[in-house]
Amino acid sequence: MRISMYKALWGMDGDMEAQFRRIAEAGYSGIEAHPPADEHTESFKQLLQQYNLDYIALIATSGKNHALSFARQVERCLDLNPVLINSHSGKDSMPFAEQVAFFQETLRIEAQAGVPIAHETHRGRAMFTPWTTKLLVEELPALKLTADLSHWCCVCESLLEDQQECLTFLFRHVVHIHARVGYAEGPQVPHPGAPEYERELHAHEQWWREICLKRQEEGQHLMTFTAEYGPPGYMHTLPFTNQPVSDLWEVCSWMAKRLEKQYMT
């Protein structure tokens, strides 16, 4: 199994070209980010081409009509030629019948768009737990998933020891992975290389290997990963100063290099 590493781009403030250059020089295949503001769209497209970076678009539905929000954002993304659209879809509070109707519409829009769309396992969204996600995928087997299992660790306050049946079922539907390590009390450890989080790291890596093996069984030989550690709010900070306890760039680089080494051998 080959992997393709993407870098999460959390903001485009400041020198956008410098960010693209740094990501390309670090060896990433592309970026994952929200579409840029309209005034930056052409520069964004030019920089992707200039630095030979692929693009995974990130969208998040909102408002009273999540299907309409989804449709508008997908249409906005298509001009940027994404290889994949990753969606934070629906709400955890939506009744199940409403979720099913929403995801039926997303599948219709995906077919029209001609770009694969994966729905992220994210807190606050329809797919916020393994069991709710399993119910949706059983109802609509064509759904594709982005596995950010760090969120499920936080929601379930565990390393999902009692969710193996759900995980085994759902891993066949995963087409993209967010390589962030969570723990029972939060969606992001301060640093995945810290020895005190060795158990959490190994659990996530085992899940990622299982996903890749299932992809191979389906005849797929490439898996995309995004090193998606986040800044404060996600990143732990010191009291009173709000200073991050780790260097965000270094944390993402550590994870990316570890994964590349594992899958190159």
Side-chain angles (χ1 to χ4, degrees):
M1 168 66 72
R2 295 184 299 111
I3 70 168
S4 184
M5 285 300 310
Y6 287 71
K7 176 71 174 68
L9 193 58
W10 285 81
M12 299 183 204
D13 300 330
D15 189 341
M16 189 162 61
E17 182 172 4
Q19 295 182 71
F20 276 68
R21 185 189 313 117
R22 190 182 191 193
I23 290 168
E25 289 176 350
Y28 289 97
S29 299
I31 66 169
E32 180 174 340
H34 290 286
D38 289 345
E39 62 268 25
H40 298 309
T41 296
E42 288 307 313
S43 297
F44 187 87
K45 291 161 67 174
Q46 291 171 9
L47 288 168
L48 287 172
Q49 183 175 14
Q50 178 180 344
Y51 289 101
N52 194 30
L53 293 170
D54 290 331
Y55 175 52
I56 293 176
L58 175 60
I59 64 174
T61 68
S62 62
K64 293 183 178 180
N65 190 332
H66 282 261
L68 180 60
S69 172
F70 180 87
R72 287 174 172 169
Q73 291 182 72
V74 169
E75 183 178 7
R76 169 72 179 87
C77 292
L78 295 181
D79 183 49
L80 298 165
N81 298 315
V83 297
L84 174 76
I85 297 173
N86 177 37
S87 178
H88 292 190
S89 299
K91 281 293 293 178
D92 53 3
S93 57
M94 291 169 68
F96 184 70
E98 189 177 333
Q99 291 184 10
V100 171
F102 164 72
F103 282 107
Q104 285 175 328
E105 183 66 5
T106 70
L107 289 172
R108 185 191 67 79
I109 293 167
E110 179 184 3
Q112 286 186 336
V115 175
I117 300 176
H119 303 276
E120 186 174 338
T121 61
H122 202 288
R123 291 167 300 145
R125 298 294 176 171
M127 295 180 175
F128 73 113
T129 73
W131 53 91
T132 53
T133 306
K134 183 173 184 286
L135 289 173
L136 284 166
V137 175
E138 285 175 334
E139 190 77 21
L140 299 168
L143 287 172
K144 302 176 182 67
L145 305 179
T146 292
D148 191 334
L149 302 171
S150 67
H151 290 286
W152 284 353
C153 291
C154 178
V155 171
C156 299
E157 288 197 305
S158 71
L159 289 179
L160 311 178
E161 293 89 348
D162 62 343
Q163 294 299 314
Q164 191 56 52
E165 181 182 352
C166 286
L167 297 179
T168 299
F169 174 82
L170 292 169
F171 283 173
R172 289 196 179 276
H173 296 266
V174 173
V175 299
H176 180 50
I177 293 172
H178 279 180
R180 180 171 58 217
V181 174
Y183 65 118
E185 303 304 331
Q188 180 171 301
V189 300
H191 195 298
E196 59 267 34
Y197 293 108
E198 182 178 12
R199 180 167 171 260
E200 285 78 6
L201 173 64
H202 288 171
H204 284 72
E205 289 181 328
Q206 179 59 36
W207 295 327
W208 301 336
R209 282 192 293 270
E210 290 179 25
I211 291 168
C212 290
L213 285 172
K214 291 187 185 302
R215 288 280 286 171
Q216 282 186 303
E217 291 171 3
E218 299 292 330
Q220 303 296 321
H221 300 289
L222 176 68
M223 176 60 75
T224 55
F225 284 77
T226 296
E228 208 229 4
Y229 291 85
Y234 273 104
M235 177 75 70
H236 291 198
T237 58
L238 296 172
F240 303 106
T241 66
N242 204 36
Q243 292 299 304
V245 300
S246 301
D247 180 272
L248 181 57
W249 178 268
E250 191 277 327
V251 168
C252 292
S253 296
W254 186 94
M255 192 78 258
K257 290 173 183 176
R258 181 177 174 92
L259 285 166
E260 287 171 345
K261 182 178 180 180
Q262 288 178 344
Y263 284 92
M264 283 179 2
T265 58

mmCIF file of all heavy atoms in Angstrom, residues 197-227:
data_model
loop_
_atom_site.group_PDB
_atom_site.id
_atom_site.type_symbol
_atom_site.label_atom_id
_atom_site.label_comp_id
_atom_site.label_asym_id
_atom_site.label_seq_id
_atom_site.Cartn_x
_atom_site.Cartn_y
_atom_site.Cartn_z
ATOM 1 N N TYR A 197 1.961 8.833 25.710
ATOM 2 C CA TYR A 197 0.845 8.570 24.804
ATOM 3 C C TYR A 197 1.156 7.419 23.839
ATOM 4 O O TYR A 197 0.542 7.304 22.775
ATOM 5 C CB TYR A 197 0.486 9.839 24.020
ATOM 6 C CG TYR A 197 -0.088 10.922 24.904
ATOM 7 C CD1 TYR A 197 0.651 12.065 25.213
ATOM 8 C CD2 TYR A 197 -1.364 10.784 25.464
ATOM 9 C CE1 TYR A 197 0.130 13.049 26.046
ATOM 10 C CE2 TYR A 197 -1.888 11.768 26.288
ATOM 11 C CZ TYR A 197 -1.140 12.892 26.571
ATOM 12 O OH TYR A 197 -1.657 13.867 27.397
ATOM 13 N N GLU A 198 2.089 6.567 24.236
ATOM 14 C CA GLU A 198 2.475 5.444 23.371
ATOM 15 C C GLU A 198 1.281 4.523 23.094
ATOM 16 O O GLU A 198 1.093 4.057 21.965
ATOM 17 C CB GLU A 198 3.609 4.657 24.018
ATOM 18 C CG GLU A 198 4.105 3.497 23.163
ATOM 19 C CD GLU A 198 5.266 2.760 23.817
ATOM 20 O OE1 GLU A 198 5.519 3.004 25.016
ATOM 21 O OE2 GLU A 198 5.907 1.940 23.144
ATOM 22 N N ARG A 199 0.485 4.253 24.107
ATOM 23 C CA ARG A 199 -0.670 3.364 23.921
ATOM 24 C C ARG A 199 -1.647 3.948 22.906
ATOM 25 O O ARG A 199 -2.166 3.239 22.039
ATOM 26 C CB ARG A 199 -1.362 3.129 25.264
ATOM 27 C CG ARG A 199 -2.569 2.225 25.209
ATOM 28 C CD ARG A 199 -2.993 1.801 26.616
ATOM 29 N NE ARG A 199 -4.272 1.107 26.606
ATOM 30 C CZ ARG A 199 -5.435 1.671 26.926
ATOM 31 N NH1 ARG A 199 -5.456 2.945 27.316
ATOM 32 N NH2 ARG A 199 -6.559 0.979 26.899
ATOM 33 N N GLU A 200 -1.910 5.239 23.007
ATOM 34 C CA GLU A 200 -2.831 5.891 22.079
ATOM 35 C C GLU A 200 -2.282 5.886 20.656
ATOM 36 O O GLU A 200 -3.016 5.615 19.689
ATOM 37 C CB GLU A 200 -3.092 7.336 22.530
ATOM 38 C CG GLU A 200 -4.006 7.458 23.731
ATOM 39 C CD GLU A 200 -3.338 7.166 25.063
ATOM 40 O OE1 GLU A 200 -2.101 6.959 25.087
ATOM 41 O OE2 GLU A 200 -4.031 7.163 26.103
ATOM 42 N N LEU A 201 -0.986 6.165 20.513
ATOM 43 C CA LEU A 201 -0.370 6.146 19.196
ATOM 44 C C LEU A 201 -0.496 4.771 18.549
ATOM 45 O O LEU A 201 -0.898 4.647 17.381
ATOM 46 C CB LEU A 201 1.100 6.549 19.299
ATOM 47 C CG LEU A 201 1.932 6.421 18.014
ATOM 48 C CD1 LEU A 201 1.419 7.366 16.937
ATOM 49 C CD2 LEU A 201 3.413 6.676 18.300
ATOM 50 N N HIS A 202 -0.176 3.744 19.284
ATOM 51 C CA HIS A 202 -0.214 2.393 18.722
ATOM 52 C C HIS A 202 -1.637 1.986 18.369
ATOM 53 O O HIS A 202 -1.855 1.297 17.359
ATOM 54 C CB HIS A 202 0.420 1.403 19.696
ATOM 55 C CG HIS A 202 1.904 1.537 19.788
ATOM 56 N ND1 HIS A 202 2.658 0.872 20.724
ATOM 57 C CD2 HIS A 202 2.787 2.261 19.043
ATOM 58 C CE1 HIS A 202 3.936 1.177 20.561
ATOM 59 N NE2 HIS A 202 4.035 2.027 19.558
ATOM 60 N N ALA A 203 -2.613 2.408 19.162
ATOM 61 C CA ALA A 203 -4.008 2.090 18.838
ATOM 62 C C ALA A 203 -4.415 2.720 17.512
ATOM 63 O O ALA A 203 -5.016 2.059 16.646
ATOM 64 C CB ALA A 203 -4.933 2.564 19.960
ATOM 65 N N HIS A 204 -4.092 3.993 17.328
ATOM 66 C CA HIS A 204 -4.445 4.663 16.070
ATOM 67 C C HIS A 204 -3.710 4.042 14.889
ATOM 68 O O HIS A 204 -4.308 3.832 13.824
ATOM 69 C CB HIS A 204 -4.136 6.158 16.171
ATOM 70 C CG HIS A 204 -5.124 6.933 16.984
ATOM 71 N ND1 HIS A 204 -5.212 6.838 18.349
ATOM 72 C CD2 HIS A 204 -6.089 7.817 16.622
ATOM 73 C CE1 HIS A 204 -6.171 7.645 18.800
ATOM 74 N NE2 HIS A 204 -6.716 8.240 17.766
ATOM 75 N N GLU A 205 -2.441 3.744 15.077
ATOM 76 C CA GLU A 205 -1.687 3.154 13.971
ATOM 77 C C GLU A 205 -2.244 1.787 13.587
ATOM 78 O O GLU A 205 -2.266 1.437 12.396
ATOM 79 C CB GLU A 205 -0.209 3.056 14.341
ATOM 80 C CG GLU A 205 0.467 4.412 14.376
ATOM 81 C CD GLU A 205 1.941 4.340 14.721
ATOM 82 O OE1 GLU A 205 2.332 3.427 15.488
ATOM 83 O OE2 GLU A 205 2.706 5.195 14.236
ATOM 84 N N GLN A 206 -2.708 1.017 14.556
ATOM 85 C CA GLN A 206 -3.329 -0.264 14.246
ATOM 86 C C GLN A 206 -4.608 -0.067 13.444
ATOM 87 O O GLN A 206 -4.872 -0.786 12.475
ATOM 88 C CB GLN A 206 -3.621 -1.041 15.530
ATOM 89 C CG GLN A 206 -4.285 -2.391 15.308
ATOM 90 C CD GLN A 206 -3.461 -3.335 14.442
ATOM 91 O OE1 GLN A 206 -2.222 -3.343 14.519
ATOM 92 N NE2 GLN A 206 -4.133 -4.114 13.597
ATOM 93 N N TRP A 207 -5.409 0.910 13.828
ATOM 94 C CA TRP A 207 -6.631 1.190 13.063
ATOM 95 C C TRP A 207 -6.279 1.605 11.634
ATOM 96 O O TRP A 207 -6.922 1.149 10.681
ATOM 97 C CB TRP A 207 -7.428 2.303 13.742
ATOM 98 C CG TRP A 207 -7.965 1.938 15.085
ATOM 99 C CD1 TRP A 207 -8.385 0.701 15.516
ATOM 100 C CD2 TRP A 207 -8.142 2.821 16.193
ATOM 101 N NE1 TRP A 207 -8.814 0.764 16.814
ATOM 102 C CE2 TRP A 207 -8.684 2.048 17.263
ATOM 103 C CE3 TRP A 207 -7.929 4.185 16.404
ATOM 104 C CZ2 TRP A 207 -8.992 2.605 18.507
ATOM 105 C CZ3 TRP A 207 -8.230 4.735 17.642
ATOM 106 C CH2 TRP A 207 -8.753 3.958 18.679
ATOM 107 N N TRP A 208 -5.281 2.464 11.487
ATOM 108 C CA TRP A 208 -4.915 2.915 10.149
ATOM 109 C C TRP A 208 -4.418 1.755 9.287
ATOM 110 O O TRP A 208 -4.718 1.682 8.097
ATOM 111 C CB TRP A 208 -3.854 4.008 10.244
ATOM 112 C CG TRP A 208 -4.300 5.218 11.033
ATOM 113 C CD1 TRP A 208 -5.593 5.625 11.254
ATOM 114 C CD2 TRP A 208 -3.467 6.165 11.701
ATOM 115 N NE1 TRP A 208 -5.606 6.762 12.027
ATOM 116 C CE2 TRP A 208 -4.336 7.118 12.316
ATOM 117 C CE3 TRP A 208 -2.088 6.302 11.861
ATOM 118 C CZ2 TRP A 208 -3.834 8.189 13.054
ATOM 119 C CZ3 TRP A 208 -1.595 7.367 12.608
ATOM 120 C CH2 TRP A 208 -2.457 8.304 13.190
ATOM 121 N N ARG A 209 -3.662 0.838 9.890
ATOM 122 C CA ARG A 209 -3.204 -0.337 9.136
ATOM 123 C C ARG A 209 -4.386 -1.197 8.701
ATOM 124 O O ARG A 209 -4.414 -1.698 7.565
ATOM 125 C CB ARG A 209 -2.227 -1.161 9.990
ATOM 126 C CG ARG A 209 -0.819 -0.596 10.055
ATOM 127 C CD ARG A 209 0.156 -1.591 10.653
ATOM 128 N NE ARG A 209 -0.120 -1.836 12.063
ATOM 129 C CZ ARG A 209 0.418 -1.126 13.063
ATOM 130 N NH1 ARG A 209 1.238 -0.123 12.802
ATOM 131 N NH2 ARG A 209 0.129 -1.421 14.319
ATOM 132 N N GLU A 210 -5.353 -1.373 9.583
ATOM 133 C CA GLU A 210 -6.525 -2.173 9.236
ATOM 134 C C GLU A 210 -7.286 -1.540 8.072
ATOM 135 O O GLU A 210 -7.754 -2.243 7.163
ATOM 136 C CB GLU A 210 -7.444 -2.329 10.445
ATOM 137 C CG GLU A 210 -6.887 -3.221 11.542
ATOM 138 C CD GLU A 210 -7.827 -3.320 12.734
ATOM 139 O OE1 GLU A 210 -9.051 -3.118 12.542
ATOM 140 O OE2 GLU A 210 -7.346 -3.578 13.849
ATOM 141 N N ILE A 211 -7.416 -0.226 8.104
ATOM 142 C CA ILE A 211 -8.091 0.470 7.003
ATOM 143 C C ILE A 211 -7.344 0.245 5.697
ATOM 144 O O ILE A 211 -7.943 -0.072 4.661
ATOM 145 C CB ILE A 211 -8.208 1.976 7.314
ATOM 146 C CG1 ILE A 211 -9.192 2.211 8.466
ATOM 147 C CG2 ILE A 211 -8.629 2.756 6.075
ATOM 148 C CD1 ILE A 211 -9.150 3.612 9.037
ATOM 149 N N CYS A 212 -6.030 0.401 5.721
ATOM 150 C CA CYS A 212 -5.240 0.225 4.503
ATOM 151 C C CYS A 212 -5.335 -1.208 3.975
ATOM 152 O O CYS A 212 -5.419 -1.428 2.757
ATOM 153 C CB CYS A 212 -3.787 0.612 4.762
ATOM 154 S SG CYS A 212 -3.534 2.394 5.000
ATOM 155 N N LEU A 213 -5.332 -2.173 4.872
ATOM 156 C CA LEU A 213 -5.465 -3.560 4.439
ATOM 157 C C LEU A 213 -6.807 -3.806 3.773
ATOM 158 O O LEU A 213 -6.884 -4.514 2.753
ATOM 159 C CB LEU A 213 -5.290 -4.498 5.636
ATOM 160 C CG LEU A 213 -3.857 -4.673 6.143
ATOM 161 C CD1 LEU A 213 -3.845 -5.475 7.443
ATOM 162 C CD2 LEU A 213 -2.996 -5.391 5.087
ATOM 163 N N LYS A 214 -7.848 -3.223 4.306
ATOM 164 C CA LYS A 214 -9.167 -3.392 3.699
ATOM 165 C C LYS A 214 -9.229 -2.695 2.345
ATOM 166 O O LYS A 214 -9.877 -3.193 1.411
ATOM 167 C CB LYS A 214 -10.253 -2.882 4.647
ATOM 168 C CG LYS A 214 -10.397 -3.760 5.892
ATOM 169 C CD LYS A 214 -11.559 -3.361 6.748
ATOM 170 C CE LYS A 214 -11.604 -4.177 8.042
ATOM 171 N NZ LYS A 214 -11.679 -5.625 7.807
ATOM 172 N N ARG A 215 -8.556 -1.567 2.209
ATOM 173 C CA ARG A 215 -8.483 -0.902 0.903
ATOM 174 C C ARG A 215 -7.763 -1.792 -0.110
ATOM 175 O O ARG A 215 -8.194 -1.907 -1.266
ATOM 176 C CB ARG A 215 -7.747 0.433 1.038
ATOM 177 C CG ARG A 215 -8.513 1.513 1.754
ATOM 178 C CD ARG A 215 -9.523 2.196 0.851
ATOM 179 N NE ARG A 215 -8.863 3.081 -0.102
ATOM 180 C CZ ARG A 215 -9.472 3.678 -1.132
ATOM 181 N NH1 ARG A 215 -10.745 3.438 -1.342
ATOM 182 N NH2 ARG A 215 -8.829 4.477 -1.932
ATOM 183 N N GLN A 216 -6.682 -2.412 0.320
ATOM 184 C CA GLN A 216 -5.957 -3.309 -0.572
ATOM 185 C C GLN A 216 -6.831 -4.482 -0.991
ATOM 186 O O GLN A 216 -6.799 -4.903 -2.157
ATOM 187 C CB GLN A 216 -4.693 -3.819 0.110
ATOM 188 C CG GLN A 216 -3.555 -2.815 0.130
ATOM 189 C CD GLN A 216 -2.280 -3.402 0.689
ATOM 190 O OE1 GLN A 216 -2.252 -3.890 1.815
ATOM 191 N NE2 GLN A 216 -1.229 -3.371 -0.096
ATOM 192 N N GLU A 217 -7.601 -5.027 -0.073
ATOM 193 C CA GLU A 217 -8.490 -6.136 -0.393
ATOM 194 C C GLU A 217 -9.522 -5.742 -1.451
ATOM 195 O O GLU A 217 -10.002 -6.591 -2.205
ATOM 196 C CB GLU A 217 -9.199 -6.628 0.868
ATOM 197 C CG GLU A 217 -8.271 -7.316 1.858
ATOM 198 C CD GLU A 217 -8.949 -7.589 3.195
ATOM 199 O OE1 GLU A 217 -10.164 -7.289 3.321
ATOM 200 O OE2 GLU A 217 -8.267 -8.095 4.111
ATOM 201 N N GLU A 218 -9.860 -4.447 -1.493
ATOM 202 C CA GLU A 218 -10.800 -3.950 -2.492
ATOM 203 C C GLU A 218 -10.102 -3.578 -3.801
ATOM 204 O O GLU A 218 -10.741 -3.057 -4.717
ATOM 205 C CB GLU A 218 -11.530 -2.718 -1.939
ATOM 206 C CG GLU A 218 -12.355 -2.982 -0.681
ATOM 207 C CD GLU A 218 -13.547 -3.873 -0.949
ATOM 208 O OE1 GLU A 218 -14.069 -3.828 -2.077
ATOM 209 O OE2 GLU A 218 -13.949 -4.622 -0.038
ATOM 210 N N GLY A 219 -8.810 -3.832 -3.889
ATOM 211 C CA GLY A 219 -8.065 -3.544 -5.114
ATOM 212 C C GLY A 219 -7.516 -2.137 -5.199
ATOM 213 O O GLY A 219 -7.032 -1.731 -6.266
ATOM 214 N N GLN A 220 -7.561 -1.394 -4.102
ATOM 215 C CA GLN A 220 -7.016 -0.040 -4.079
ATOM 216 C C GLN A 220 -5.609 -0.086 -3.484
ATOM 217 O O GLN A 220 -5.379 -0.758 -2.483
ATOM 218 C CB GLN A 220 -7.911 0.876 -3.244
ATOM 219 C CG GLN A 220 -9.344 0.935 -3.705
ATOM 220 C CD GLN A 220 -9.490 1.525 -5.087
ATOM 221 O OE1 GLN A 220 -8.781 2.486 -5.430
ATOM 222 N NE2 GLN A 220 -10.407 0.988 -5.877
ATOM 223 N N HIS A 221 -4.691 0.668 -4.081
ATOM 224 C CA HIS A 221 -3.296 0.586 -3.658
ATOM 225 C C HIS A 221 -2.725 1.941 -3.240
ATOM 226 O O HIS A 221 -1.513 2.090 -3.116
ATOM 227 C CB HIS A 221 -2.451 -0.023 -4.781
ATOM 228 C CG HIS A 221 -2.902 -1.403 -5.150
ATOM 229 N ND1 HIS A 221 -2.700 -2.484 -4.326
ATOM 230 C CD2 HIS A 221 -3.583 -1.860 -6.235
ATOM 231 C CE1 HIS A 221 -3.201 -3.573 -4.894
ATOM 232 N NE2 HIS A 221 -3.755 -3.221 -6.038
ATOM 233 N N LEU A 222 -3.604 2.930 -3.009
ATOM 234 C CA LEU A 222 -3.170 4.242 -2.540
ATOM 235 C C LEU A 222 -4.127 4.714 -1.457
ATOM 236 O O LEU A 222 -5.349 4.627 -1.618
ATOM 237 C CB LEU A 222 -3.150 5.263 -3.678
ATOM 238 C CG LEU A 222 -2.803 6.703 -3.274
ATOM 239 C CD1 LEU A 222 -1.351 6.816 -2.836
ATOM 240 C CD2 LEU A 222 -3.096 7.673 -4.414
ATOM 241 N N MET A 223 -3.598 5.196 -0.365
ATOM 242 C CA MET A 223 -4.396 5.796 0.702
ATOM 243 C C MET A 223 -3.878 7.194 0.980
ATOM 244 O O MET A 223 -2.660 7.396 1.101
ATOM 245 C CB MET A 223 -4.341 4.958 1.984
ATOM 246 C CG MET A 223 -5.060 5.570 3.171
ATOM 247 S SD MET A 223 -6.831 5.855 2.914
ATOM 248 C CE MET A 223 -7.447 4.169 3.045
ATOM 249 N N THR A 224 -4.780 8.154 1.055
ATOM 250 C CA THR A 224 -4.389 9.516 1.390
ATOM 251 C C THR A 224 -4.508 9.738 2.894
ATOM 252 O O THR A 224 -5.483 9.318 3.531
ATOM 253 C CB THR A 224 -5.248 10.552 0.645
ATOM 254 O OG1 THR A 224 -6.640 10.306 0.914
ATOM 255 C CG2 THR A 224 -4.999 10.474 -0.853
ATOM 256 N N PHE A 225 -3.483 10.367 3.442
ATOM 257 C CA PHE A 225 -3.441 10.748 4.854
ATOM 258 C C PHE A 225 -3.251 12.272 4.929
ATOM 259 O O PHE A 225 -2.509 12.836 4.122
ATOM 260 C CB PHE A 225 -2.239 10.124 5.569
ATOM 261 C CG PHE A 225 -2.355 8.665 5.915
ATOM 262 C CD1 PHE A 225 -2.196 7.680 4.943
ATOM 263 C CD2 PHE A 225 -2.585 8.271 7.232
ATOM 264 C CE1 PHE A 225 -2.260 6.339 5.274
ATOM 265 C CE2 PHE A 225 -2.655 6.924 7.568
ATOM 266 C CZ PHE A 225 -2.490 5.954 6.590
ATOM 267 N N THR A 226 -3.870 12.895 5.899
ATOM 268 C CA THR A 226 -3.575 14.290 6.215
ATOM 269 C C THR A 226 -3.050 14.380 7.639
ATOM 270 O O THR A 226 -3.694 13.887 8.572
ATOM 271 C CB THR A 226 -4.813 15.191 6.066
ATOM 272 O OG1 THR A 226 -5.224 15.208 4.695
ATOM 273 C CG2 THR A 226 -4.510 16.615 6.498
ATOM 274 N N ALA A 227 -1.884 14.998 7.783
ATOM 275 C CA ALA A 227 -1.346 15.298 9.116
ATOM 276 C C ALA A 227 -2.116 16.510 9.636
ATOM 277 O O ALA A 227 -1.798 17.646 9.312
ATOM 278 C CB ALA A 227 0.148 15.580 9.019
#
